[in-house]
Amino acid sequence: MRAGDRAYQTLREEITNGDLPAGTVLGEVEQAMRLGISRTPVREALRQLISEGLAVQRPRGVEVSEVSFENIGELYDVRLALECQAARLAAQNRDPDVFRALLVDFQHVSDLLNTRDRNRHDYYELVNRLDEALDQAVHNPYLVSAMATVRTHLARIRHMARSDRARLMDAAREHALIVQAIIDGNGDLAAHATHVHLYNSLSHRLAKAASLETRTADAVSPDEGDARETA
Amino acid sequence: MRAGDRAYQTLREEITNGDLPAGTVLGEVEQAMRLGISRTPVREALRQLISEGLAVQRPRGVEVSEVSFENIGELYDVRLALECQAARLAAQNRDPDVFRALLVDFQHVSDLLNTRDRNRHDYYELVNRLDEALDQAVHNPYLVSAMATVRTHLARIRHMARSDRARLMDAAREHALIVQAIIDGNGDLAAHATHVHLYNSLSHRLAKAASLETRTADAVSPDEGDARETA
DNA sequence: CTTCGAATCTGTGTATACATTGACGTGTGA
DNA sequence: TCACACGTCAATGTATACACAGATTCGAAG
């Protein structure tokens, strides 16, 4: 694989993970040293990050773009428009077997989450499978690309307001309804169920964010032990 | 200005204009020679074009991406989702004076188009002003960015199926209704009027495309004398 | 004459060298 | 002591040199 692509993927993941917090200056020489390559592929990676919105061009150089809670509303407005349309299109073009398998999994999420709390990661994996199934079903690369951009930016905020188990159980029910509507070929229901799900998801995130503001700024959520190196 | 940015803008415009048709190989050395710069800034420009979808990475190198009539439907599906949401948001956040001025212009399009046929370009300019007003009003950079991408791709197809004067008159009435709804703060009407407009626009383009297929492939539309250098 | 192989050549990917711009620090003069 | 100016330095932007991979072509052998 090309060094430029590797640098891009590495930096991209470090930004979405939060390892490179917003405002971090991405010096070409520094990153080239760190990644063990020369400035040329690093520049390529930085330009891609900029065009994706994960980094911004400053007069001094390139730095990781800001993303705050105010952006959540904006991102959800775009996500709402795109994913409702995607649900509608998926209901038309779906492969029923794929979504039937997903439906079974979503209906058994309670088992998944009741066994051990760490299995929250498995739930996110299930949601990823749903996203991929939607991407396949819509048959529309432009829509897929636009949704990927929104998902990338939302992933940066995900770790700032992690969902608790009760919310995940509700979300699973909402997802199950979306999947059911897609299986039935009911585009309107699929779109509206997506609307409901995104509204609840946003409400929960905003409530979580408000409750977090009352605590100390750099406290991690109590059921998550990620070691962060936030400056 | 940086050489890389100039190269990007130049290539971008040449692709959307059709001067660089789909499938054209964009050799680094060739473009560097042509633009009078070295390969480094050309590479930057090419990477940006790829991430924007205007070019694709081939095993041989980079070439201008394909865009055909089949893509129109896909692009309109995304455009529908985004612009309806944009109209809805604009109706909430608009500056009434800006859209009142636009409304007057759209109501006088008949004068504009009756004087001389060449003024079709002025109409497109008016639509651009509406787009910019929407971008301002939505207060959502993510939505603006997503719409810009869709508009870029649709611009590539615009010259393949140009609208006639009758269609432009209808489109002006549709635009006027959208603007009126935004002025009134009627988000639902703004979104639905946008839906109507895009449906009619797509129908017209598809009908135009179907009628063009009956003629010879490289015939230009009768009321447009653009000299094309399609190979 | 056909086919296989090797060599060359074209073009990308990467590294490095050079140019330029802006900032920071220091030194000197008032 | 403060302010201004000059010099140095650090970082980006650009050009070029080098490495490597794939394709094409030419030549030789069957």
Side-chain angles (χ1 to χ4, degrees):
Chain A
M1 184 188 270
R2 301 192 308 180
D5 292 340
R6 256 181 306 151
Y8 168 71
Q9 288 184 1
T10 301
L11 290 171
R12 190 181 190 283
E13 188 154 339
E14 288 175 341
I15 292 174
T16 55
N17 280 348
D19 293 341
L20 290 174
T24 305
V25 292
L26 299 172
E28 295 176 5
V29 282
E30 176 191 348
Q31 299 302 320
M33 289 274 294
R34 191 170 68 90
L35 300 173
I37 54 181
S38 80
R39 282 177 52 210
T40 307
V42 171
R43 279 184 68 86
E44 256 186 31
L46 292 181
R47 298 294 289 188
Q48 280 200 250
L49 292 171
I50 290 170
S51 71
E52 203 175 348
L54 292 176
V56 290
Q57 179 91 27
R58 295 280 185 203
R60 287 287 292 178
V62 177
E63 65 182 45
V64 178
S65 66
E66 295 288 337
V67 59
S68 63
F69 284 119
E70 289 113 46
N71 299 119
I72 299 186
E74 300 172 354
L75 282 165
Y76 264 81
D77 278 337
V78 183
R79 191 184 179 190
L80 181 66
L82 294 173
E83 301 231 14
C84 285
Q85 180 74 302
R88 208 179 284 275
L89 294 174
Q92 296 173 13
N93 311 326
R94 95 256 104 128
D95 173 4
D97 291 336
V98 173
F99 288 91
R100 268 194 278 266
L102 282 166
L103 180 60
V104 172
D105 288 339
F106 274 112
Q107 285 168 340
H108 289 76
V109 160
S110 62
D111 306 337
L112 187 73
L113 290 177
N114 281 337
T115 52
R116 291 226 331 275
D117 183 64
R118 271 300 178 187
N119 296 26
R120 183 211 316 275
H121 184 269
D122 293 340
Y123 179 73
Y124 287 135
E125 200 54 43
L126 179 56
V127 174
N128 279 341
R129 277 176 49 210
L130 173 58
D131 286 341
E132 288 169 14
L134 283 171
D135 290 352
Q136 286 285 332
V138 294
H139 290 311
N140 188 325
Y142 304 103
L143 182 55
V144 169
S145 170
M147 287 195 294
T149 300
V150 174
R151 287 178 194 147
T152 297
H153 286 270
L154 280 173
R156 291 187 66 189
I157 320 183
R158 181 168 299 170
H159 69 91
M160 298 171 72
R162 215 172 270 274
S163 302
D164 51 42
R165 195 183 305 119
R167 170 61 198 144
L168 292 187
M169 293 290 292
D170 289 342
R173 273 188 288 273
E174 294 160 12
H175 278 133
L177 179 57
I178 295 172
V179 174
Q180 183 67 61
I182 290 174
I183 293 172
D184 296 341
N186 190 336
D188 282 340
L189 180 57
H192 297 158
T194 300
H195 194 158
V196 167
H197 167 61
L198 291 180
Y199 174 80
N200 288 334
S201 171
L202 176 59
S203 298
H204 183 269
R205 284 202 187 186
L206 291 180
K208 200 86 174 183
S211 77
L212 278 179
E213 276 184 5
T214 63
R215 311 181 192 180
T216 58
D218 44 9
V220 295
S221 79
D223 53 344
E224 198 68 22
D226 295 330
R228 305 250 200 84
E229 36 192 2
T230 44
Chain B
M1 184 190 268
R2 302 191 309 180
D5 293 340
R6 256 182 305 150
Y8 168 69
Q9 288 183 1
T10 301
L11 290 171
R12 189 181 191 283
E13 188 154 340
E14 288 175 341
I15 292 174
T16 55
N17 280 348
D19 294 341
L20 290 174
T24 305
V25 292
L26 299 173
E28 295 176 6
V29 281
E30 176 191 349
Q31 299 303 320
M33 288 275 294
R34 190 169 68 92
L35 301 173
I37 55 182
S38 80
R39 283 177 51 210
T40 308
V42 171
R43 278 184 70 85
E44 257 185 34
L46 293 181
R47 298 293 288 190
Q48 280 199 251
L49 292 171
I50 291 170
S51 70
E52 204 174 348
L54 292 176
V56 290
Q57 180 91 24
R58 295 279 185 206
R60 287 288 291 179
V62 177
E63 65 182 45
V64 179
S65 66
E66 295 288 335
V67 59
S68 63
F69 283 119
E70 289 113 46
N71 299 119
I72 298 185
E74 300 172 352
L75 282 166
Y76 263 81
D77 278 336
V78 184
R79 191 184 181 191
L80 181 65
L82 294 173
E83 301 231 13
C84 285
Q85 179 74 302
R88 207 178 284 274
L89 293 173
Q92 297 173 12
N93 311 326
R94 96 256 104 130
D95 172 3
D97 291 336
V98 173
F99 287 92
R100 268 195 278 266
L102 282 166
L103 180 60
V104 171
D105 287 339
F106 273 112
Q107 285 168 341
H108 289 76
V109 160
S110 61
D111 306 338
L112 187 73
L113 290 177
N114 280 336
T115 52
R116 290 230 328 278
D117 184 64
R118 270 299 177 188
N119 296 26
R120 183 211 318 276
H121 185 268
D122 293 340
Y123 180 73
Y124 288 135
E125 200 55 42
L126 180 56
V127 174
N128 279 341
R129 278 177 48 209
L130 173 58
D131 286 341
E132 289 169 13
L134 283 170
D135 290 352
Q136 287 285 332
V138 295
H139 291 312
N140 189 325
Y142 304 103
L143 182 55
V144 169
S145 171
M147 286 195 295
T149 301
V150 173
R151 287 181 194 144
T152 296
H153 285 271
L154 280 172
R156 291 187 66 190
I157 320 183
R158 182 168 298 171
H159 69 92
M160 298 171 72
R162 215 172 269 272
S163 302
D164 52 42
R165 195 183 304 119
R167 169 62 199 144
L168 293 187
M169 294 288 293
D170 290 341
R173 273 188 288 274
E174 295 160 11
H175 279 132
L177 179 57
I178 296 171
V179 173
Q180 182 68 60
I182 290 175
I183 293 172
D184 296 341
N186 191 338
D188 282 340
L189 180 58
H192 297 159
T194 300
H195 194 158
V196 168
H197 167 62
L198 291 180
Y199 174 80
N200 287 334
S201 172
L202 175 59
S203 298
H204 183 269
R205 284 202 187 185
L206 291 179
K208 200 84 174 184
S211 77
L212 278 179
E213 275 184 5
T214 63
R215 311 183 192 180
T216 58
D218 46 7
V220 295
S221 84
D223 52 347
E224 199 69 22
D226 295 331
R228 304 247 202 85
E229 35 191 1
T230 45

